[in-house]
């Protein structure tokens, strides 16, 4: 599948959370430890989102992250207090192109999906059409699907929910509805708005690192720990995580 990471804390170069630690997200692209099936490496592209004036912006590349010098040479020159990044292992049959790389961005939001939705067109299509309680999405909205992948379709469904619900409720409702239609779906979702992170666990691994001291507080949500810091906390399955520096809640979905 994929690996993703979210960071909130003191200002850092945009590339720093992606390169940090002996088992950084970039290292996880070619040497992941906890993929749990669905691939062995994450070489089908990557993306990094950061925030400026409460608006998300991003950089995506369908090539392996270790081949792109811009991660060090360009993104290392930009500073931010929030990062959401992902490296991709494409599901068989799905396109390998820039549009298919997370994070997906709209306004203040950045979104990543680690997992797979079986028969995604039928499953997510039923959710989008209101069969599972969304209330319907018109044809014009369906044209906004950025690429023919389950992750892009999940983002379209979540973005529609975010117009009417708070992020935690929107994520909880989406996961519940998709699992009702496809019980074998794998739905580790990660959402950020530059001020807070929300994440879900459904099958795949997820960890949280919350640090706080007299001068700075930070929080990291990641598919795998990037170092051996004993403060990394594994998140159990079927959980919703809400985090910002100094605050962390983990609740059942």
């Amino acid at each position: 599948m994929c690996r993703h990471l979210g960071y909130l804390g003191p200002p850092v170069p945009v590339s720093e959370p992606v390169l940090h630690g002996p088992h950084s997200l970039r290292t996880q692209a070619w040497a992941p430890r906890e993929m749990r099936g669905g691939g062995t490496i994450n070489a089908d592209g990557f993306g990094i989102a950061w925030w400026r004036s409460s608006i998300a912006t991003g950089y995506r590349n369908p090539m392996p992250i270790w081949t792109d010098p811009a991660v060090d040479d360009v993104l290392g020159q930009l500073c931010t207090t929030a990062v959401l990044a992902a490296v991709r292992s494409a599901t068989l049959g799905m396109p390998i192109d820039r549009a298919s790389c997370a994070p997906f961005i709209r306004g203040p939001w950045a979104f990543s999906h680690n997992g797979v939705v079986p028969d995604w067109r039928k499953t997510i299509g039923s959710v989008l059409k209101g069969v599972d309680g969304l209330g319907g999405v018109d044809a014009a909205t369906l044209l906004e699907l950025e690429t023919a992948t389950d992750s892009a379709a999940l983002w379209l469904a979540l973005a529609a929910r975010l117009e009417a619900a708070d992020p935690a409720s929107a994520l909880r409702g989406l996961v519940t509805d998709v699992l009702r239609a496809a019980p074998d779906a794998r739905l580790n979702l990660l959402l950020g708005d530059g001020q807070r992170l929300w994440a879900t666990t459904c099958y795949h691994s997820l960890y949280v690192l919350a640090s706080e001291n007299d001068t700075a507080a930070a929080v990291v949500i990641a598919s795998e720990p990037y170092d051996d810091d004993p403060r990394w906390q594994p998140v159990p399955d079927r959980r919703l995580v809400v985090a910002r520096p100094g605050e962390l809640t983990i609740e059942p979905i």
Side-chain angles (χ1 to χ4, degrees), residues 2 44-47 60-62 86-91 93-104 111-113 120 146-153:
C2 306
D44 298 319
F46 71 96
R60 297 187 290 177
N61 187 338
V87 292
R88 182 173 185 241
S89 176
T91 301
M94 293 189 186
I96 300 175
D97 56 18
R98 180 180 179 276
S100 300
C101 297
F104 300 96
F111 169 79
S112 175
H113 167 222
W120 68 269
E146 190 171 353
T147 184
T149 68
D150 54 356
S151 299

Side-chain angles (χ1 to χ4, degrees), residues 102-148:
F104 300 96
I105 291 173
R106 179 182 298 183
W109 304 109
F111 169 79
S112 175
H113 167 222
N114 171 27
V116 63
V117 179
D119 195 6
W120 68 269
R121 289 178 174 85
K122 178 180 178 181
T123 298
I124 304 175
S126 70
V127 175
L128 283 167
K129 292 174 182 177
V131 172
D132 293 299
L134 181 60
V137 173
D138 58 29
T141 302
L142 291 173
L143 292 176
E144 296 177 11
L145 188 65
E146 190 171 353
T147 184

